[in-house]
Amino acid sequence: MQNPYLKRVIKFLRSHVLMSFIIYGAAIGILAGALWGTFQFVKPLPPDKVTMVTGSEGGAYYAFAMRYKAFFAEHGYDLEVRTSNGSMDNLSIISDPKSGVQAAFMQGGIADADDYPALESLAALYYEPVWLFVSKRLKLETLNDLKGRRVAVGAEGSGTNHLVSLLLAENGVTAENTELLPEGAGAAASKLLDRKIDALITIAGVDSKAVRELSQASRTVALYSFDRAETYVRTHHFLKKLTLPPGGIDLMRDLPETDVTLVAPAANLVIRDDLHPALRYLFLLAADKIHGEGDMFAMSGEFPNGQALLFPLSDESANFFKSGPPFLMRYLPFQAAITAERLKILLIPLLTLLFPLFKITPPAYRWQIRRRIFKWYKHLKRLDMEALDLTDSARAKEMLDQLKEMDRQVLETSVPLSYTDNVYSLRVHIRLIRTRLERIVEGAGNAG
């Protein structure tokens, strides 16, 4: 006697339910494989935290970074802000993949892009004017007149120190013939006012505390106007010639009293090339909100932009400046937009495969079910052809036994209820041949 458990297993293996699992499971497997393959080329969700290096806590970079931090927090992300000595220090930190820093503010013109292939610029953010304040005891016509003097040129590791040293060297002013003090404006301003140094050069915004303090001391300190600004900007393409209008620093005190010509690099927002694309757009949205208002030297909407860049422009930035933020980011919260964007990419293979699978899978399933029934017709037709001219009653009995077994197996064939009409149609056909064979057997019996 056959094991009941084994019978159930065999019955299940022959059932249409298993057939359904196989066919529709294969379709689902194809879709899952396509989604998995697509997922390998889709960036994962961005990390919740990104680290940025700025400058000293009293500087403009740090102040802007704190506004970026607040913007990130509004959108559910944590922007960690680290301090440094300035742009050159930032360059050293972000170029080290082990630093964990993925973004930085940097002054334009401090590096050769070819030397840092892992870095990209997201945007130029605003102009950073070069301010030269000099004691009125000196009659300064060109930078060469600073030779032999005591000049504060910015802290070591700062972009100010790098650019000022470059401009001074082009005018023959070097550490060999001049006392160049590596001090920032915050520390050196009081020394200039106390006549302990002869000049101070800094890179800062028009609202800088040191710039305002030194401008107000107009009796003892003068703001230098770069008469050779056109030469500097043509020699160094990262520089821009700017004009500070009368009253541009203090309108009530009319400071300065006349136009002052300045030169300025542009502050850059720099990232590592492995920063998640979504976070790049978040930085760009922050930059647009924070720097888009303009200032004394830039009209509203002039910044951020893709000009005066330190490193190659990011692809996301190029799209942002050409067409604005991605469509979904214009109408959805940021996190919802990036989630929807990922789903959109994942849906491409799904929608591409769904239509042909919907066209192929049901017919394939129907064919397999009908095949379970129609396979008997080949054997049935052979018996029917043989029975057509049959007179041998012994052979007729053998064929009757075969048809009875066939009828039993057909009845046990597992098909959905919607296909039982095919089962019973086959059984009717089997019955027709059985009737003919039974007549042959009966006729042979009557003859005997």
Side-chain angles (χ1 to χ4, degrees), residues 105-168:
F105 289 132
M106 286 189 208
Q107 177 186 299
I110 65 170
D112 186 343
D114 293 337
D115 295 333
Y116 301 91
L119 301 183
E120 298 177 358
S121 283
L122 274 184
L125 304 176
Y126 58 92
Y127 293 122
E128 297 185 288
V130 179
W131 307 86
L132 170 53
F133 291 97
V134 60
S135 174
K136 281 192 171 180
R137 294 173 300 157
L138 303 180
K139 292 184 179 180
L140 189 68
E141 294 184 2
T142 69
L143 295 184
N144 179 262
D145 295 330
L146 291 173
K147 188 181 296 184
R149 303 294 181 174
R150 303 186 73 212
V151 184
V153 294
E156 292 184 2
S158 67
T160 299
N161 187 290
H162 175 83
L163 178 57
V164 169
S165 299
L166 174 64
L167 295 179
L168 290 178

Side-chain angles (χ1 to χ4, degrees), residues 16 38 60 76-77 104 109 118 177 187 220-221 255 261 381 385 419 426 447:
H16 70 278
T38 305
Y77 291 88
N177 55 39
T220 58
V221 176
L255 299 174
T261 302
K381 183 177 180 181
M385 293 295 294
Y419 289 86
L426 175 57

Side-chain angles (χ1 to χ4, degrees), residues 9-86:
V9 171
I10 294 174
K11 184 177 181 181
F12 174 75
L13 293 175
R14 293 176 177 176
S15 70
H16 70 278
V17 176
L18 179 61
M19 182 69 66
S20 303
F21 283 147
I22 292 174
I23 293 178
Y24 287 100
I28 294 172
I30 292 172
L31 286 176
L35 289 174
W36 181 85
T38 305
F39 191 78
Q40 305 308 306
F41 300 95
V42 177
K43 285 278 188 180
L45 286 171
D48 296 331
K49 180 180 178 180
V50 60
T51 303
M52 182 180 202
V53 63
T54 59
S56 63
E57 289 191 10
Y61 285 174
Y62 185 83
F64 279 124
M66 297 312 292
R67 296 177 66 183
Y68 276 69
K69 181 179 180 69
F71 185 89
F72 269 59
E74 290 175 7
H75 293 81
Y77 291 88
D78 179 23
L79 178 63
E80 180 186 352
V81 177
R82 296 185 188 176
T83 58
S84 72
N85 291 327

